Every structure is written in C-alpha cells, then in structure tokens.
Amino acid sequence: MSPKRPAALAFIFLTILIDVIGLGIIIPVMPTLIEQLTGEGVSQAARYGGYLSFAYAAAQFFFAPVMGGLSDRFGRRPVLLASLLGLGCDYLFLALAPSLGWLFVGRVVAGITGASFTTATAYIADVSPPEKRAQNFGLVGAAFGLGFIVGPLLGGFFGDFGPRVPFIAAAGLSLFNFLYGLFLIPESLPAGQRRPFEWSRANALASLLRLRNYPQIVGLVAALVLLYLAGSATQSVWTFYTILKFGWGLKLISYSLGVVGVGALVVQGGLVRVAIPRLGAARSVVIGMLFYIAGFVLFAIASRGWMMFAVTAVYALGGLAGPAMQGAISSQVPSTEQGELQGTLTSLISATGVVGPLLMTSLFTFFTSKAAPLYFPGMPFLLGAVLTLLALLVAASTLRRLPTDAAVVVPSPAEAHG
C-alpha cells in the first residue's frame, strides 16, 4: 500500500532538505579548496570547478537511468537509502582528498550516488494525483530553497575552521539522512505497479530514445533542458563572479546563497501552489521564464554587490516555470514508468551539467583574461538569458498542443495498442 499522501510528502521533503543542506554546506568553500590544492587564482580555479562539475554530471548522466529503473523494479525506498549512504561516504572521502585528482574521484562517486533526487521525484509522482503533481514538484524547489538558506550559512560557519571541515559536516548530515530514511520513510510504489529491470532500458541513450513514445512531451523536455543549461550560469560562476567582481569573502557568499534559497523557498514552496492552478501551466511557464531572462540580464550588468541581492528577488520568480513544465511532462506518462521518466529527465539535466559548467566557466575565464576583446565577467549570465528565451519559445509552442493544464495521464504505448 502507498503511504498516505501528506505524510509521504512530508517524509520526502525532509529527506531532500537534509540532502540539499549537505550540498549547500560545501559550495562556499569549494573555490578556496581548489585554490589551495592547485595554487591558482580565482579565474583559473573557476575552470577547474567546471571540470569537477563535468565529472559529477557525466557520472550522473550514465547512472541516473539505472537507478530510475531499479526504483521501478524494487521500489523507491531501497534505492533512495543506498544513494544517501553512498553520498555520506563520498563527503568523507572529499574531506580527506590530498590532491585535485582525488577531488575528481570523489565527484564521480557523488554523481553515481546522486540518484537520490531522481528517486525522490519519482516518489512524489507516485503519491500525487495528476492535477497536483506540478504543485507537489514545487516541494523539491522548496526543499532546495530552504536547504540553500541553511546550508551555505552553515558552510560559512564551518569554513572558518578550515575548507575541509564543511565536508565533514555534510557527511554527518547525509549519514543522518540515511538513518532517518531507514526508520521513517515508507515505500511509495506498490508491488503491483512495479516492472522488471531491463539493462536494455537502463542506459542513458536508450532512455532518451524512448521519449519518442511520448512525442507530446518532447518539446517540453527540450525546453526543460535549455532552462537547466541556462541555470548553469548561476550555479557554476556565482561564487567566482562575486569574488572577482565585488571582492566578496566567505560570509557574503554564504549570505547571498542564503538569499537565493529564500527566494526559491517562497516561490516554489508557496507561490507555485497558488499561481499554477490559477494561471495554468502555459502562463506559469511564460511568466516564469520572462522573470528568469530579466534576472540573468540584471546579474550580468550589476555594478554593485547589493544589486545581486536585489536582483535575486526577480530571478527567484522564474521558479514558476520548472514545476509547471515538470508537472505537465509527468502527467503524460503512466504510473508504471514514472521512475524511468524521472531517471531520463535526471540524465538530461545531468547532460546539461556536463556541458553547462564547462561552457559557463570557460566563458568566465576567457572574458576575465587579457586575451578577451572585452573584459566582461557577466557574459555567462547573458548566455543564460539567450538560452532561456529559446526555452520559452519551444515550451510555449508545445503547451498549445497539450490538453488544458496538461493534467491528463495517458496509457502506456503497450496499453494504447493492446
């Protein structure tokens, strides 16, 4: 039996929250650790940061469909627990890494175990009726928001004791999260809705090809990919950008990430639950992306540090778009394939994590070097605005062809032809 929905959503929200706090703890100190291990300055450290993100995302790209398929076969709970345990062990590994090469090994392991988010989103789909999925997927954003309030602040605090101490704290939180899930998180996928695990389906390329079975969502998936690729600008260069342009230290970086978290919490934890039902999926996507575009442009041209805090309010309102699109996509796929779908989406998002950080950090490094025709550290944010505009055009075109608010679950291809 599936757990009662409110209790299940509370369980999974807290699981994601603790996971994100652990991630947020290490973000403010990663540039300092890279600089210590390489002896390079901020501009070159950003390039190494892009390579580390590449290693993480590439591992997640190939392993997310495997984890998604395993969760469709054995249930969400065991896969989620295995991921959380692996992530906690990885943080300990990173805390002890003696060289940059060992950081790369740790990031690969983290990518493999990063399936906790894949399984968590499948869990939410299991316990949510189609018309509530977009709102409930907003809980993921809310957990990210709250986690990025608490995490970076804790990272700034622990970072005062050394750049490796936050990794130890993150490991403790992840292992606590494992114990929490072991004793309190129920299974969400009934045995009767599980399907056999097939290696032929559990690889990134095959899972992407199976999107052809649902041509009505291909456009939305493409728009979601473009949106996440654009988001790499903020995720990859924020810390390096604010250090170089405004001379921020660990405390200000931590506070700024906390403000980003507050924005995500307010929008995705509260506003989406009101706005999406009232506006509908299509309008929510359009409005959200317009706010994202404005936020990216304003980040790029900000001339004072306080402007980054102010613009965050505009940028956060873009958070309407993601849950609306993800809810529309999920509603077009049968319940027996939600784990596989979320694994596919995670692989695609991870693919943007392979390309995006390298692209954005390379742009940042180039446009802050002497070889650049124009010194402009904000170039990655401008590219983010362009990519979001493309995503808006693709998504708007696709949503016009879906049922109203896309709150319809269609049968599987086999059922449709059987």
Side-chain angles (χ1 to χ4, degrees), residues 24-34 155-156 158-160 162-167 239 250 253-254:
I25 284 175
I26 70 172
I27 290 177
V29 296
M30 185 63 84
T32 302
L33 183 59
I34 293 174
F158 288 117
D160 285 340
R164 296 178 184 270
V165 175
F167 290 89
T239 304
L250 184 60
I253 293 170
S254 299

Side-chain angles (χ1 to χ4, degrees), residues 241-295:
Y241 178 77
T242 54
I243 289 173
L244 185 65
K245 189 168 185 178
F246 307 116
W248 284 5
L250 184 60
K251 294 294 185 185
L252 269 177
I253 293 170
S254 299
Y255 295 154
S256 70
L257 291 173
V259 171
V260 172
V262 170
L265 175 63
V266 171
V267 173
Q268 299 199 38
L271 187 59
V272 296
R273 307 184 75 81
V274 177
I276 293 177
R278 291 187 178 182
L279 296 174
R283 288 181 180 177
S284 296
V285 168
V286 171
I287 292 172
M289 289 193 184
L290 287 175
F291 276 114
Y292 268 144
I293 292 169

Side-chain angles (χ1 to χ4, degrees), residues 76 105 111 126 158 164 183-184 198 244 256 260 267 345 348 355 362 366 392 401:
R76 315 303 185 202
V105 174
D126 291 340
F158 288 117
R164 296 178 184 270
F183 292 107
L184 292 177
E198 303 172 40
L244 185 65
S256 70
V260 172
V267 173
L345 293 179
L348 284 168
V355 177
S362 294
F366 178 73
L392 172 58
R401 300 192 295 269

Side-chain angles (χ1 to χ4, degrees), residues 50-67 107-108 110-118 204 207-208 221 224-229 232 235-236 341-358:
Y51 294 152
L52 287 167
S53 297
F54 172 89
Y56 173 87
Q60 194 172 73
F61 174 77
F62 288 107
F63 280 90
V66 176
M67 296 301 187
R107 289 286 80 194
V108 169
I112 294 172
T113 59
S116 57
F117 296 114
T118 302
S207 65
L208 297 183
V221 172
L224 195 63
V225 168
L226 286 170
L227 192 63
Y228 273 93
L229 188 60
S232 296
Q235 298 162 13
S236 302
L341 169 68
Q342 299 305 329
T344 300
L345 293 179
T346 300
S347 283
L348 284 168
I349 293 167
S350 298
T352 68
V354 173
V355 177
L358 282 178

